[in-house]
Amino acid sequence: MDIDIVSVFPEYFDVLQLSLLGKAQSNGLVHVAAHNLRDWTHDVHHSVDDTPVGGGAGMVMKPEVWGECLDELLGLRGKDAADANQNSTAGDAVESAARHDGTVLIFPNPSAPLFTQRDATELSHADRLIFGCGRYEGYDARIPEHYRAQGVNVREYSIGDYVLNGGEVAVSVMLEAITRLLPGFMGNPESIVEESYTGGNALLEHRQYTKPALWRSLEVPEILLSGDHGKVDRFRRDEALQRTNAIRPDLIEALDCKQLDKPDRKTLMALGWEVSGAHPRRID
């Protein structure tokens, strides 16, 4: 996978050389390039922002600078790309979409839909990801609009119900979630099979323990030491249902009851859920 990141602080992404993502780059599984947006400016101050149209506090990132940068990264021709919204035809859109097939342009945005494990899984199949890191009050809304019109697959995501100083942290979060799903990235691929939010009937993961079995008067649950794999699996599944019920009941409500086995149903009914319909329903 090829990954391009555009930021006014490209050095922030030196951290991507660490740990498994660093190994993936060394092994040629992933190629990451961080670009300084200011390299596409033409004024002495290398300005990338201006005052918001209509007034208001803060500054907004300029579309001209982003346009030159993304045109180059996407291989679009300058004036042709700039005039495309006015002069494009259906044939042009098809040609452009074909040219950028496998490329996804992503902007973190606290006002956008929430980034989920399902999104990470989908994006892990892309050939190339281009991330744009906003700053200040954000980027001009016409930037993603323009590139969608070019046939580029443009996504905007929020990573949570809070606001950051810039998109760099959010890009790092999304990159970890996406790249760890690439075949060959994890040393043991089984370690990502039963994680939180993973799979069709996603739950929060059960708690994990290691040796020693007794630590500071706290014991590992006895059943995990039994050697009975069937009982261990059932214990972990029940704990996952219980934790999800307590912390994220919305995930319980989204479960497909047809995919629940009898012990699942029994556990959920004990937790106060009715499971005879398409999805579990809380019993008041």
Side-chain angles (χ1 to χ4, degrees):
M1 176 183 284
D2 289 317
I3 297 168
D4 291 278
I5 307 169
V6 182
S7 167
V8 292
F9 299 112
E11 60 274 14
Y12 179 94
F13 295 100
D14 291 348
V15 70
L16 300 183
Q17 299 296 328
L18 303 176
S19 190
L20 291 176
L21 186 49
K23 289 183 179 179
Q25 293 180 71
S26 297
N27 295 335
L29 183 65
V30 178
H31 176 262
V32 179
H35 309 275
N36 192 333
L37 180 63
R38 298 188 192 278
D39 289 344
W40 282 270
T41 59
H42 301 287
D43 64 301
V44 66
H45 299 294
H46 301 290
S47 302
V48 297
D49 59 306
D50 206 338
T51 55
V53 174
M59 305 290 278
V60 178
M61 301 192 90
K62 300 161 65 172
E64 308 100 307
V65 181
W66 275 103
E68 289 198 28
C69 171
L70 295 174
D71 286 352
E72 182 172 328
L73 293 179
L74 289 165
L76 298 172
R77 296 189 301 273
K79 187 175 186 303
D80 292 341
D83 295 339
N85 283 336
Q86 297 178 359
N87 302 319
S88 63
T89 65
D92 293 335
V94 170
E95 181 181 352
S96 180
R99 183 167 63 247
H100 301 297
D101 185 38
T103 296
V104 184
L105 174 59
I106 302 170
F107 292 98
N109 186 331
S111 300
L114 188 65
F115 179 78
T116 67
Q117 186 68 24
R118 182 173 296 181
D119 296 312
T121 301
E122 179 189 354
L123 291 168
S124 71
H125 298 290
D127 296 325
R128 184 188 186 196
L129 302 177
I130 301 176
F131 289 93
C133 300
R135 278 271 155 180
Y136 319 116
E137 292 299 310
Y139 48 84
D140 190 298
R142 292 169 294 180
I143 299 167
E145 179 182 349
H146 168 77
Y147 287 99
R148 286 191 184 101
Q150 299 295 294
V152 179
N153 185 352
V154 181
R155 311 286 184 90
E156 295 175 270
Y157 290 116
S158 166
I159 62 166
D161 296 342
Y162 46 85
V163 179
L164 302 170
N165 288 332
E168 288 78 13
V169 171
V171 166
S172 298
V173 168
M174 288 188 279
L175 265 180
E176 281 230 355
I178 294 165
T179 55
R180 67 193 303 274
L181 300 176
L182 295 173
F185 186 93
M186 302 292 288
N188 180 4
E190 294 298 317
S191 63
I192 64 173
V193 173
E194 295 184 358
E195 292 183 319
S196 298
Y197 313 110
T198 300
N201 260 10
L203 298 171
L204 300 185
E205 189 178 5
H206 55 79
R207 293 182 293 177
Q208 299 281 5
Y209 302 89
T210 188
K211 301 171 184 177
L214 178 65
W215 177 74
R216 296 187 179 181
S217 76
L218 298 172
E219 296 183 354
V220 168
E222 185 176 351
I223 195 169
L224 298 180
L225 305 173
S226 68
D228 188 324
H229 296 298
K231 289 183 178 180
V232 168
D233 288 345
R234 188 66 248 169
F235 174 82
R236 287 173 167 170
R237 176 69 175 178
D238 285 342
E239 186 174 70
L241 289 166
Q242 293 160 6
R243 286 170 60 81
T244 306
N245 173 68
I247 301 171
R248 289 291 303 275
D250 58 302
L251 294 178
I252 299 291
E253 292 174 341
L255 294 175
D256 182 353
C257 287
K258 292 181 181 178
Q259 297 183 30
L260 300 174
D261 59 21
K262 288 184 180 180
D264 286 343
R265 293 169 181 268
K266 182 178 179 181
T267 299
L268 287 173
M269 287 189 290
L271 292 171
W273 294 89
E274 195 274 317
V275 292
S276 61
H279 304 281
R281 182 178 62 85
R282 175 75 75 179
I283 301 174
D284 296 329

